Amino acid sequence: MGKDVIIACDFSSAAETLDFLSKFSGRKPFVKIGMELFYAEGPEIVRQIKAMGHKIFLDLKLHDIPNTVKKSMSVLSRLDVDMTNLHAAGTVRMMEAAIEGLTRPDGTRPLLIAVTQLTSTDQESMEKDLLIKEPIADVVMHYAHNAKLAGLDGVVCSPLEAGKVHDTCGAGFLTVTPGVRFAGGDVGDQKRVMTPAEAKKIGSDYIVVGRPITAAEDPVAAYERCVAEFVD
Ligand code: C5P
Protein backbone atom coordinates (compact mmCIF):
# COMPACT_ATOMS: atom_id res chain seq x y z
CA MET A 1 0.00 0.00 0.00
CA GLY A 2 1.64 3.16 -1.20
CA LYS A 3 1.91 6.47 0.56
CA ASP A 4 -0.52 9.06 -0.74
CA VAL A 5 -1.90 12.55 -0.19
CA ILE A 6 -5.67 12.64 0.39
CA ILE A 7 -7.39 15.97 -0.25
CA ALA A 8 -10.20 16.70 2.25
CA CYS A 9 -12.98 18.04 0.01
CA ASP A 10 -14.80 19.88 2.78
CA PHE A 11 -17.32 21.58 0.50
CA SER A 12 -21.09 21.66 0.97
CA SER A 13 -22.19 21.25 -2.63
CA ALA A 14 -21.44 19.08 -5.64
CA ALA A 15 -20.96 22.18 -7.78
CA GLU A 16 -18.18 23.57 -5.57
CA THR A 17 -16.50 20.17 -5.31
CA LEU A 18 -16.58 19.45 -9.05
CA ASP A 19 -15.36 22.96 -9.80
CA PHE A 20 -12.44 22.39 -7.43
CA LEU A 21 -11.57 18.98 -8.92
CA SER A 22 -11.76 20.34 -12.47
CA LYS A 23 -8.59 22.31 -11.77
CA PHE A 24 -6.65 19.04 -11.63
CA SER A 25 -6.70 18.30 -15.34
CA GLY A 26 -4.99 14.98 -15.94
CA ARG A 27 -4.24 14.46 -12.22
CA LYS A 28 -6.60 12.29 -10.17
CA PRO A 29 -5.94 12.97 -6.49
CA PHE A 30 -7.26 10.67 -3.75
CA VAL A 31 -10.15 12.65 -2.19
CA LYS A 32 -11.88 12.52 1.18
CA ILE A 33 -15.64 12.99 1.19
CA GLY A 34 -16.97 13.78 4.64
CA MET A 35 -20.36 14.09 6.28
CA GLU A 36 -20.99 17.64 5.06
CA LEU A 37 -20.80 16.83 1.36
CA PHE A 38 -22.35 13.36 1.71
CA TYR A 39 -25.36 14.63 3.63
CA ALA A 40 -25.79 17.50 1.17
CA GLU A 41 -25.52 15.50 -2.03
CA GLY A 42 -26.02 11.85 -1.10
CA PRO A 43 -24.34 8.80 -2.64
CA GLU A 44 -24.55 10.24 -6.15
CA ILE A 45 -21.60 12.55 -5.50
CA VAL A 46 -19.51 9.51 -4.52
CA ARG A 47 -20.46 7.69 -7.74
CA GLN A 48 -19.73 10.77 -9.78
CA ILE A 49 -16.25 11.42 -8.35
CA LYS A 50 -15.42 7.72 -8.54
CA ALA A 51 -16.48 7.67 -12.21
CA MET A 52 -14.08 10.57 -12.82
CA GLY A 53 -11.26 8.23 -11.78
CA HIS A 54 -10.48 9.42 -8.25
CA LYS A 55 -9.88 7.16 -5.25
CA ILE A 56 -12.27 7.99 -2.42
CA PHE A 57 -11.97 7.94 1.36
CA LEU A 58 -15.57 8.13 2.59
CA ASP A 59 -15.27 9.66 6.06
CA LEU A 60 -18.64 8.96 7.71
CA LYS A 61 -17.34 7.61 11.06
CA LEU A 62 -19.99 4.96 11.70
CA HIS A 63 -20.91 4.15 15.31
CA ASP A 64 -24.04 2.08 16.06
CA ILE A 65 -25.07 -1.43 17.04
CA PRO A 66 -23.11 -4.14 15.19
CA ASN A 67 -26.03 -5.22 13.00
CA THR A 68 -26.76 -1.69 11.78
CA VAL A 69 -23.09 -0.99 11.09
CA LYS A 70 -22.73 -4.28 9.22
CA LYS A 71 -25.68 -3.50 6.94
CA SER A 72 -24.58 0.10 6.38
CA MET A 73 -21.04 -1.01 5.51
CA SER A 74 -22.48 -3.43 2.99
CA VAL A 75 -24.21 -0.50 1.25
CA LEU A 76 -20.98 1.53 1.32
CA SER A 77 -18.96 -1.32 -0.22
CA ARG A 78 -21.34 -1.27 -3.19
CA LEU A 79 -20.47 2.41 -3.67
CA ASP A 80 -16.98 1.16 -4.54
CA VAL A 81 -15.10 3.53 -2.23
CA ASP A 82 -11.43 2.80 -1.54
CA MET A 83 -11.37 3.62 2.18
CA THR A 84 -13.97 4.25 4.87
CA ASN A 85 -14.06 4.49 8.66
CA LEU A 86 -15.85 4.03 11.97
CA HIS A 87 -15.43 4.82 15.67
CA ALA A 88 -13.37 2.26 17.59
CA ALA A 89 -15.51 3.21 20.62
CA GLY A 90 -18.26 1.07 19.06
CA THR A 91 -16.36 -2.02 20.42
CA VAL A 92 -14.43 -4.87 18.81
CA ARG A 93 -17.69 -6.66 18.01
CA MET A 94 -18.99 -3.68 16.08
CA MET A 95 -15.72 -3.43 14.15
CA GLU A 96 -15.83 -7.15 13.28
CA ALA A 97 -19.40 -6.73 12.07
CA ALA A 98 -18.27 -3.77 9.96
CA ILE A 99 -15.61 -5.90 8.24
CA GLU A 100 -18.19 -8.58 7.50
CA GLY A 101 -20.56 -6.05 5.99
CA LEU A 102 -17.86 -4.33 3.98
CA THR A 103 -16.47 -7.51 2.42
CA ARG A 104 -17.85 -8.07 -1.09
CA PRO A 105 -18.93 -11.50 -2.35
CA ASP A 106 -15.58 -11.80 -4.19
CA GLY A 107 -13.67 -11.29 -0.91
CA THR A 108 -12.40 -7.78 -1.70
CA ARG A 109 -13.27 -4.75 0.42
CA PRO A 110 -12.37 -1.08 0.85
CA LEU A 111 -9.73 -0.26 3.47
CA LEU A 112 -11.36 0.18 6.88
CA ILE A 113 -9.77 2.46 9.45
CA ALA A 114 -10.83 3.47 12.95
CA VAL A 115 -11.13 6.80 14.68
CA THR A 116 -9.71 6.34 18.19
CA GLN A 117 -10.41 9.37 20.37
CA LEU A 118 -11.32 12.44 18.33
CA THR A 119 -8.62 15.09 18.50
CA SER A 120 -11.29 17.48 19.79
CA THR A 121 -11.50 15.31 22.94
CA ASP A 122 -8.88 16.10 25.56
CA GLN A 123 -7.97 14.43 28.84
CA GLU A 124 -10.34 16.65 30.80
CA SER A 125 -13.44 16.12 28.62
CA MET A 126 -12.72 12.39 28.38
CA GLU A 127 -12.60 12.10 32.17
CA LYS A 128 -15.54 14.40 32.86
CA ASP A 129 -17.90 13.49 30.02
CA LEU A 130 -16.96 9.90 29.25
CA LEU A 131 -15.74 8.80 32.71
CA ILE A 132 -12.57 7.38 31.15
CA LYS A 133 -9.77 7.98 33.65
CA GLU A 134 -6.74 6.51 31.82
CA PRO A 135 -4.18 8.77 30.13
CA ILE A 136 -5.54 9.70 26.69
CA ALA A 137 -2.40 8.43 24.91
CA ASP A 138 -3.02 4.98 26.43
CA VAL A 139 -6.69 5.10 25.42
CA VAL A 140 -5.73 5.94 21.84
CA MET A 141 -3.25 3.03 21.69
CA HIS A 142 -5.77 0.65 23.31
CA TYR A 143 -8.41 1.57 20.72
CA ALA A 144 -5.83 1.16 17.93
CA HIS A 145 -4.98 -2.28 19.32
CA ASN A 146 -8.70 -3.19 19.38
CA ALA A 147 -9.03 -2.08 15.75
CA LYS A 148 -6.13 -4.34 14.83
CA LEU A 149 -7.68 -7.25 16.78
CA ALA A 150 -10.93 -6.78 14.88
CA GLY A 151 -9.05 -7.02 11.58
CA LEU A 152 -9.12 -3.36 10.54
CA ASP A 153 -6.39 -1.88 8.37
CA GLY A 154 -5.40 1.11 10.47
CA VAL A 155 -6.41 4.25 12.33
CA VAL A 156 -6.86 7.96 11.82
CA CYS A 157 -4.41 9.66 14.16
CA SER A 158 -2.28 12.70 14.70
CA PRO A 159 1.01 12.50 12.80
CA LEU A 160 2.60 12.75 16.25
CA GLU A 161 1.02 9.40 17.19
CA ALA A 162 1.86 7.56 13.95
CA GLY A 163 5.22 6.19 15.15
CA LYS A 164 3.75 4.83 18.39
CA VAL A 165 0.81 3.26 16.53
CA HIS A 166 3.26 1.44 14.25
CA ASP A 167 5.28 0.30 17.28
CA THR A 168 2.12 -1.01 18.99
CA CYS A 169 0.24 -2.45 16.01
CA GLY A 170 2.97 -3.21 13.47
CA ALA A 171 4.49 -1.38 10.52
CA GLY A 172 1.77 -2.62 8.16
CA PHE A 173 -1.04 -1.09 10.23
CA LEU A 174 -2.00 2.09 8.40
CA THR A 175 -1.82 5.56 9.90
CA VAL A 176 -3.97 8.19 8.19
CA THR A 177 -3.02 11.58 9.53
CA PRO A 178 -4.73 14.97 9.28
CA GLY A 179 -3.28 18.12 10.88
CA VAL A 180 -0.78 18.77 8.09
CA ARG A 181 0.50 22.26 7.30
CA PHE A 182 3.28 23.67 5.15
CA ALA A 183 6.23 25.21 7.00
CA GLY A 184 5.28 28.81 7.77
CA GLY A 185 1.68 28.24 6.63
CA ASP A 186 -1.57 29.21 8.36
CA VAL A 187 -2.35 26.69 11.11
CA GLY A 188 -6.06 27.63 11.37
CA ASP A 189 -7.90 25.67 14.08
CA GLN A 190 -5.49 22.70 14.08
CA LYS A 191 -3.49 22.55 17.29
CA ARG A 192 -0.73 20.02 16.70
CA VAL A 193 0.52 20.17 13.15
CA MET A 194 3.32 18.74 11.02
CA THR A 195 4.65 19.45 7.55
CA PRO A 196 4.22 16.78 4.86
CA ALA A 197 7.97 16.11 5.02
CA GLU A 198 7.84 15.59 8.80
CA ALA A 199 4.79 13.32 8.45
CA LYS A 200 6.76 11.24 5.95
CA LYS A 201 9.73 11.02 8.29
CA ILE A 202 7.59 9.88 11.21
CA GLY A 203 5.99 7.15 9.07
CA SER A 204 2.46 8.32 8.23
CA ASP A 205 0.99 6.20 5.44
CA TYR A 206 -1.54 8.75 4.21
CA ILE A 207 -1.82 12.45 4.97
CA VAL A 208 -5.22 14.14 4.84
CA VAL A 209 -4.85 17.75 3.75
CA GLY A 210 -7.75 20.20 3.49
CA ARG A 211 -7.34 23.96 3.61
CA PRO A 212 -3.63 24.13 2.74
CA ILE A 213 -4.77 22.83 -0.68
CA THR A 214 -8.45 23.83 -0.99
CA ALA A 215 -7.87 27.43 0.15
CA ALA A 216 -4.55 27.89 -1.68
CA GLU A 217 -4.28 30.45 -4.46
CA ASP A 218 -3.04 27.64 -6.68
CA PRO A 219 -4.51 24.37 -5.32
CA VAL A 220 -2.80 22.19 -7.92
CA ALA A 221 0.62 23.63 -7.02
CA ALA A 222 -0.14 23.14 -3.31
CA TYR A 223 -1.14 19.53 -3.98
CA GLU A 224 2.02 18.91 -6.02
CA ARG A 225 4.09 20.39 -3.19
CA CYS A 226 2.47 17.96 -0.74
CA VAL A 227 3.17 15.03 -3.06
CA ALA A 228 6.78 16.17 -3.58
CA GLU A 229 7.37 16.45 0.18
CA PHE A 230 5.42 13.37 1.29
CA VAL A 231 5.51 10.78 -1.49
CA ASP A 232 8.38 11.38 -3.90
O1 C5P B 1 -8.35 21.83 6.44
P1 C5P B 1 -7.60 20.78 7.22
O2 C5P B 1 -6.29 20.36 6.58
O3 C5P B 1 -7.45 21.15 8.68
O4 C5P B 1 -8.56 19.51 7.12
C1 C5P B 1 -8.30 18.33 7.82
C2 C5P B 1 -9.38 17.32 7.54
O5 C5P B 1 -9.17 16.19 8.37
C3 C5P B 1 -10.80 17.80 7.84
O6 C5P B 1 -11.68 17.16 6.93
C4 C5P B 1 -11.04 17.34 9.25
O7 C5P B 1 -12.39 17.11 9.54
C5 C5P B 1 -10.27 16.01 9.25
N1 C5P B 1 -9.83 15.56 10.58
C6 C5P B 1 -9.03 16.32 11.41
N2 C5P B 1 -8.65 15.84 12.63
C7 C5P B 1 -9.06 14.63 13.03
C8 C5P B 1 -9.87 13.86 12.21
C9 C5P B 1 -10.24 14.35 10.98
O8 C5P B 1 -8.63 17.42 11.04
N3 C5P B 1 -8.65 14.18 14.19
Side-chain angles (χ1 to χ4, degrees):
M1 272 167 278
K3 283 184 182 282
D4 211 344
V5 174
I6 303 178
I7 305 180
C9 285
D10 292 323
F11 302 111
S12 56
S13 73
E16 250 184 298
T17 311
L18 298 175
D19 179 55
F20 171 76
L21 291 176
S22 73
K23 300 181 203 299
F24 292 81
S25 53
R27 274 292 226 169
K28 298 290 177 191
F30 202 136
V31 302
K32 178 169 92 73
I33 297 178
M35 289 186 231
E36 185 184 4
L37 184 58
F38 190 80
Y39 292 152
E41 300 288 352
E44 195 45 40
I45 187 66
V46 177
R47 291 190 194 99
Q48 210 173 341
I49 295 176
K50 188 75 198 174
M52 286 160 59
H54 296 268
K55 285 190 174 173
I56 296 180
F57 168 20
L58 190 57
D59 177 19
L60 299 182
K61 300 187 179 70
L62 274 68
H63 188 176
D64 208 317
I65 60 170
N67 186 54
T68 302
V69 168
K70 179 178 167 179
K71 289 180 163 175
S72 307
M73 285 294 183
S74 167
V75 173
L76 296 186
S77 81
R78 291 201 290 274
L79 271 182
D80 200 22
V81 298
D82 298 278
M83 182 187 289
T84 191
N85 63 357
L86 47 61
H87 275 282
T91 74
V92 170
R93 219 180 114 224
M94 187 203 80
M95 292 192 271
E96 288 169 346
I99 296 262
E100 269 180 54
L102 203 57
T103 305
R104 304 181 185 103
D106 67 359
T108 64
R109 64 167 173 79
L111 292 171
L112 183 61
I113 59 168
V115 175
T116 56
Q117 281 293 342
L118 290 168
T119 45
S120 51
T121 305
D122 59 10
Q123 185 73 36
E124 194 191 344
S125 54
M126 198 181 67
E127 287 187 17
K128 265 199 174 135
D129 301 350
L130 308 179
L131 282 182
I132 299 172
K133 308 288 184 193
E134 312 298 323
I136 193 159
D138 294 356
V139 176
V140 166
M141 289 311 145
H142 181 61
Y143 283 20
H145 180 69
N146 283 350
K148 165 117 183 158
L149 270 183
L152 270 70
D153 304 293
V155 287
V156 185
C157 65
S158 147
L160 297 158
E161 293 161 353
K164 184 108 187 277
V165 169
H166 282 141
D167 291 345
T168 307
C169 299
F173 195 64
L174 300 174
T175 52
V176 179
T177 63
V180 173
R181 292 294 180 268
F182 292 122
D186 183 9
V187 170
D189 54 1
Q190 294 283 13
K191 295 212 166 68
R192 300 188 304 155
V193 300
M194 265 194 189
T195 65
E198 286 166 340
K200 177 180 184 176
K201 218 186 221 162
I202 211 152
S204 292
D205 296 289
Y206 294 86
I207 51 173
V208 176
V209 189
R211 289 159 293 178
I213 295 175
T214 56
E217 224 167 274
D218 184 344
V220 179
Y223 171 71
E224 297 296 356
R225 182 176 169 192
C226 278
V227 172
E229 279 193 34
F230 182 69
V231 185
D232 296 343

